[in-house]
Amino acid sequence: RQRPPPMTQQEDEEDEEEADDKTMDDKTMDDFDVILVDPPRRGLDRWTRDAIRHFPHVLYVSCNPTALLDDLRDLRASHDVAAAAFLDAFPQTPHLECLVHLVRRITS
């Protein structure tokens, strides 16, 4: 792949001006398409589950497959599992990391 050409100083300044137009305080959940959640072993709390339903894509990292299953049962009303992977990040231990990509269902 070829790298894009570097920005000119004017392009860089214009890009900064656009970024300055909206501060993080002004952003809402509607400004983002993806959320990454990495909950504690007990899984997501109710508030977080409700909040992530608004995102088209959810990347869920779990260290507890049982809690993940509980959360997926709840989230299946709004999202489908697009992909999943399991990672043995801690060899010689019984722990397994679960990575799931959820995609919000299109409502008609």
Side-chain angles (χ1 to χ4, degrees):
R1 280 194 237 178
Q2 287 187 335
R3 295 178 123 184
M7 288 184 156
T8 65
Q9 183 174 356
Q10 180 181 354
E11 289 172 324
D12 192 38
E13 288 170 2
E14 289 170 1
D15 199 38
E16 283 182 26
E17 286 174 16
E18 286 178 27
D20 288 343
D21 288 344
K22 196 171 214 182
T23 66
M24 201 59 184
D25 292 339
D26 296 330
K27 291 187 180 279
T28 67
M29 287 191 289
D30 295 334
D31 293 322
F32 299 94
D33 293 333
V34 180
I35 186 167
L36 171 68
V37 292
D38 187 0
R41 290 196 62 76
R42 67 181 173 276
L44 297 171
D45 58 54
R46 174 60 53 194
W47 183 90
T48 304
R49 279 191 212 164
D50 291 342
I52 67 175
R53 290 181 200 284
H54 302 283
F55 289 89
H57 298 273
V58 178
L59 302 176
Y60 190 124
V61 179
S62 176
C63 62
N64 183 346
T66 304
L68 171 62
L69 182 59
D70 290 341
D71 288 338
L72 291 178
R73 284 183 179 135
D74 188 58
L75 292 168
R76 71 180 171 195
S78 59
H79 287 73
D80 290 316
V81 174
F86 302 94
L87 177 66
D88 186 7
F90 308 102
Q92 281 75 42
T93 72
H95 301 289
L96 189 66
E97 292 291 312
C98 305
L99 313 165
V100 180
H101 174 201
L102 300 163
V103 178
R104 189 173 57 204
R105 292 183 178 166
I106 298 172
T107 56
S108 36

